[in-house]
Amino acid sequence: MAAGGLSKFVSNILRKKDLTTDMMRKGNCGEYDVILLKIIMRLFTDLNKCLGFSDITFLAIGSMVGAGLYVLTGTVALKFAGGSIVLSYLFAAIASALSAFCYAEFAARIPITGSAYQFTYISVGEFWAFVIGWNVALEHAVSVSAVAKSWSGYFDSLLGHKMRDYLLIHAPMPGGIVAKYPDFFAAGIVLIVTIIVATGVKFTSRLTSTFAALNLVIVVFIFGTGLYLAKWANWTTVRGGFFPHGFSGTISGAATLIFSYTGYEVVASVTEETINPNRDVPLALLISISVAAVAYISASASLTLMVPWYDISVTAPFPTAYAQRGWVWAKYVVSLGALAAMSTTVIAAMIVVPRYFYAMSNDGLIMPWFKRVNEKTGTPVISTVVTGVFCMIMTLVFSLHSLVEFISIGQLLACTFVAFCVIKLRYEPNQIARLAAEVAARGDATELSATENETTLNGKKNGNDSDAKTKLLLRDSYIAETVLDKSIDAESASGSQEELLLEDYEHHCGVIKDSIMTSPFGKYFAWTLNFKPGVLPFYSLMLATFFGAISAAMFLFGFKQLKEAWFICLVVIFILLSKFFVLFICMFKQDQTIKTYKVPFVPFVPFTSIIINIILMFKLQHLTWIRLGIWMSIGLVIYFGYGYRHSKSRKQTD
């Protein structure tokens, strides 16, 4: 009896989300097969589909080129990397690009709000999805608070720190983890941003586009003037040289700077509000990460060449550097760009958190009022307001240093799970692929795609995006009704044929390749036929990740033992085991039904992303993990106290 209860409990918390539930959240559609994912998405979404390619591109650039450049650069250069911060930014860009590839595949295949949370829910299970959603929401909420405090610090520096001096006297606080004084100005910034985001994502995207363009101009100014004022001795003969804290400090800096590139999380979170996510999301992610990497590396190089790393200011690094070199006028120019950049960052981060709460509430994992959407603005207003209040409290209570230290952990966890899910879904029969197989079984996909392309082109020719969207919605409504009528009428006649096609699909995904089975070595793989499709690739992925993580930990924390023969042999064995299981995965058939953007070179690209993210997580500060434990304890109380009992996925099968 106890064993049965435990089995049911584990089954419940690892239950995967039924994709059609999200696709049909507003309608009472009855029992029918979902024909085309894109049609259902347009017809049954609560959020307003209004974002084009330029909107999400500038939204990503604005969210990236802000926090990293003006908030994190000073801290990382002074405490971790020195001049080698340029390498820290490069390593963080590589890790983020690999993660962005994985995000792009999911965002194109599953254009629904919630990003990493949704991806994990569909492929791994409910409990891990809650963990990811809960932590990513906190991470972006912390970002809102940290950037708002930095915004206040930059502005206060232009006033001669009058606000700081006044509050230190009249409203002192202990300091340390908590702030030395309550930053009411930063709290006011959060309040204004909350109101802006609540007015609608389209207005928000236009505002961030303007700020992002201004910020890029300032970055060009920093790079040009920084090279003019550069002293190359600050990278060579200065105390500590290019690596003042060693190469380990450079990697630790990269772990912190990973948050600088989280614009792809913002883009993935608004795919449900994107008009053409299949085309726009991957391209926007590629462009935004490239632009951000160039901006970060050039600006941080200019900063560390202008002044020695130990003279860099944490709160206002660029204005202080110009002031030290006698260019006081440049201090005000750069401060203007910093304020614009941080404005886009705080707005973009504020967009993400309510949408995570919206998605989790829609699945029954947190309270139902988080999913209420305002009819006029098309935004989750209550979630936005709650997020704003939470961020204001953190802004008033915690110090900037404490907030910065906690920023990256949630994103690294999310990126690791998303990369893991890409490999898992590529090698097993799954809901997304089953929907594609159903479309192929009915033979309607080509006709619908051609109709959609024709309608889209007509809309572009007319120069009226609004009319084009309306035509698409009306067309989709007509097609959906027609297809559903056909499916009901022909269900008895064609059901057996479709079942055979779907069964044939399941036997061509997640099983050993035919070329291997028919080879002279095929008899050695006959034992794999005893497992369901996708099971062995999943187990192999877990083992490869485990041995890869062990190898990374031994390299990072056991470097003193590298002279010992037994230690070297152990590391080599773990690395070889990790590679063996990755290569074993390659022997299985991949899902060939994906017609949208796909991550190249699976499983190698996403697995590399997993290992890099694990290495970066190992290099985070100890206090970061302690704070993560506290936040997770709160989340687990909410999940097991409310979400576990009210989960929609659980109710559907009880």
Side-chain angles (χ1 to χ4, degrees):
M1 188 72 176
L6 178 62
S7 176
K8 183 178 180 180
F9 171 77
V10 173
S11 176
N12 281 333
I13 65 174
L14 296 181
R15 191 184 310 279
K16 298 176 185 178
K17 185 175 185 177
D18 182 1
L19 188 58
T20 59
T21 300
D22 244 29
M23 302 300 104
M24 301 179 290
R25 67 168 66 106
K26 283 186 71 176
N28 182 17
C29 303
E31 295 182 0
Y32 57 80
D33 293 331
V34 178
I35 306 300
L36 192 60
L37 179 62
K38 192 177 295 184
I39 289 179
I40 301 299
M41 266 306 306
R42 283 201 185 99
L43 291 175
F44 297 105
T45 180
D46 294 333
L47 301 177
N48 185 19
K49 296 179 74 66
C50 57
L51 299 180
F53 170 70
S54 61
D55 294 321
I56 62 174
T57 301
F58 277 102
L59 187 63
I61 293 175
S63 63
M64 289 184 191
V65 188
L69 192 60
Y70 299 108
V71 179
L72 300 179
T73 300
T75 300
V76 172
L78 180 64
K79 297 187 176 183
F80 298 109
S84 67
I85 188 175
V86 294
L87 296 180
S88 297
Y89 271 122
L90 177 62
F91 296 153
I94 293 173
S96 297
L98 294 175
S99 298
F101 287 146
C102 301
Y103 268 85
E105 175 172 322
F106 271 120
R109 294 180 72 187
I110 319 170
I112 48 181
T113 291
S115 189
Y117 160 77
Q118 297 282 16
F119 308 156
T120 306
Y121 205 160
I122 291 169
S123 56
V124 178
E126 180 177 287
F127 175 76
W128 294 112
F130 181 88
V131 170
I132 292 301
W134 188 248
N135 280 287
V136 173
L138 171 68
E139 173 207 1
H140 284 84
V142 170
S143 174
V144 171
S145 304
V147 177
K149 287 183 76 71
S150 187
W151 205 107
S152 175
Y154 267 81
F155 186 76
D156 194 26
S157 67
L158 297 177
L159 302 178
H161 299 290
K162 292 182 179 179
M163 290 190 295
R164 181 194 65 186
D165 296 340
Y166 178 85
L167 291 172
L168 282 173
I169 296 173
H170 295 87
M173 294 175 63
I177 295 179
V178 299
K180 293 181 179 180
Y181 60 91
D183 197 337
F184 295 109
F185 188 78
I189 294 171
V190 175
L191 176 61
I192 294 173
V193 169
T194 302
I195 296 173
I196 292 174
V197 172
T199 58
V201 71
K202 183 65 177 178
F203 171 75
T204 302
S205 68
R206 290 172 178 170
L207 187 62
T208 55
S209 298
T210 303
F211 284 151
L214 174 61
N215 181 41
L216 292 178
V217 173
I218 300 299
V219 168
V220 173
F221 172 82
I222 291 174
F223 182 61
T225 56
L227 290 182
Y228 178 79
L229 296 173
K231 290 183 178 180
W232 295 100
N234 289 332
W235 275 9
T236 55
T237 59
V238 74
R239 187 180 76 222
F242 191 66
F243 296 97
H245 301 285
F247 189 72
S248 176
T250 305
I251 301 299
S252 296
T256 301
L257 293 175
I258 199 75
F259 185 79
S260 305
Y261 295 95
T262 54
Y264 57 83
E265 174 69 35
V266 177
V267 172
S269 295
V270 296
T271 51
E272 193 170 341
E273 295 155 277
T274 304
I275 298 172
N276 190 351
N278 182 32
R279 180 201 66 187
D280 294 346
V281 170
L283 189 58
L285 291 174
L286 176 63
I287 293 174
S288 58
I289 287 182
S290 301
V291 170
V294 172
Y296 283 142
I297 293 172
S298 59
S300 60
S302 300
L303 175 66
T304 52
L305 286 171
M306 278 195 291
V307 295
W309 63 270
Y310 47 79
D311 286 337
I312 293 176
S313 169
V314 172
T315 55
F318 292 97
T320 304
Y322 280 108
Q324 290 176 2
R325 297 302 303 275
W327 286 37
V328 179
W329 63 272
K331 167 183 176 180
Y332 297 97
V333 176
V334 174
S335 295
L336 176 64
L339 296 179
M342 288 186 288
S343 297
T344 61
T345 302
V346 73
I347 291 173
M350 180 64 80
I351 288 175
V352 174
V353 184
R355 279 149 184 79
Y356 264 86
F357 287 154
Y358 166 85
M360 296 170 73
S361 177
N362 196 62
D363 293 328
L365 301 187
I366 59 176
M367 295 68 181
W369 35 271
F370 278 104
K371 66 180 180 181
R372 295 178 186 172
V373 175
N374 185 277
E375 295 181 359
K376 294 183 179 180
T377 63
T379 57
V381 176
I382 295 180
S383 294
T384 303
V385 172
V386 172
T387 300
V389 172
F390 178 71
C391 293
M392 289 173 65
I393 294 173
M394 287 198 299
T395 301
L396 293 171
V397 174
F398 295 104
S399 66
L400 177 60
H401 177 70
S402 300
L403 294 172
V404 166
E405 283 188 350
F406 195 66
I407 280 180
S408 296
I409 183 66
Q411 190 62 37
L412 287 170
L413 281 172
C415 292
T416 302
F417 268 87
V418 169
F420 189 94
C421 294
V422 165
I423 302 175
K424 185 175 184 293
L425 287 184
R426 192 69 71 88
Y427 287 95
E428 73 173 13
N430 56 80
Q431 299 178 63
I432 311 167
R434 180 179 289 273
L435 289 175
E438 290 182 20
V439 173
R442 292 189 183 276
D444 294 321
T446 304
E447 180 183 353
L448 297 181
S449 179
T451 307
E452 175 181 346
N453 291 336
E454 181 181 355
T455 308
T456 304
L457 289 173
N458 290 338
K460 290 182 179 179
K461 289 178 182 178
N462 294 335
N464 192 328
D465 292 339
S466 178
D467 290 345
K469 273 196 301 179
T470 302
K471 291 178 181 178
L472 283 172
L473 288 171
L474 292 173
R475 188 283 318 272
D476 291 343
S477 179
Y478 170 77
I479 293 175
E481 291 177 4
T482 303
V483 171
L484 293 176
D485 289 340
K486 289 181 179 179
S487 69
I488 294 172
D489 294 338
E491 184 173 0
S492 58
S494 62
S496 58
Q497 181 181 0
E498 290 179 22
E499 288 177 3
L500 289 174
L501 286 170
L502 292 175
E503 183 179 355
D504 181 65
Y505 150 72
E506 291 190 354
H507 285 287
H508 284 79
C509 176
V511 296
I512 291 290
K513 296 177 180 177
D514 294 337
S515 58
I516 296 177
M517 294 301 296
T518 56
S519 70
F521 302 97
K523 59 183 179 180
Y524 299 109
F525 295 93
W527 61 274
T528 63
L529 300 177
N530 297 323
F531 295 86
K532 292 182 179 179
V535 172
L536 286 178
F538 175 58
Y539 289 160
S540 300
L541 176 58
M542 289 196 298
L543 290 172
T545 303
F546 172 76
F547 288 120
I550 293 296
S551 303
M554 294 178 72
F555 265 118
L556 293 174
F557 305 115
F559 56 89
K560 293 182 180 179
Q561 306 292 331
L562 286 177
K563 296 180 181 180
E564 302 290 338
W566 66 268
F567 187 84
I568 296 175
C569 291
L570 203 58
V571 172
V572 170
I573 290 173
F574 285 142
I575 292 175
L576 291 177
L577 284 172
S578 181
K579 289 184 176 180
F580 167 79
F581 284 110
V582 172
L583 293 175
F584 184 62
I585 293 174
C586 296
M587 296 182 180
F588 291 81
K589 296 179 182 179
Q590 291 190 23
D591 181 4
Q592 299 299 325
T593 64
I594 305 174
K595 304 303 180 184
T596 55
Y597 169 81
K598 294 194 295 185
V599 178
F601 307 113
V602 173
F604 300 108
V605 169
F607 185 75
T608 302
S609 176
I610 291 172
I611 297 302
I612 291 177
N613 291 331
I614 290 174
I615 291 173
L616 294 178
M617 281 191 285
F618 281 152
K619 295 300 293 182
L620 291 172
Q621 303 298 306
H622 298 301
L623 284 177
T624 302
W625 289 97
I626 295 174
R627 292 176 187 133
L628 175 67
I630 296 173
W631 177 250
M632 275 308 306
S633 298
I634 298 172
L636 292 177
V637 170
I638 294 176
Y639 174 73
F640 288 111
Y642 180 88
Y644 177 79
R645 293 181 292 108
H646 294 84
S647 169
K648 286 186 178 180
S649 296
R650 184 189 177 198
K651 288 181 178 179
Q652 288 168 1
T653 55
D654 280 352

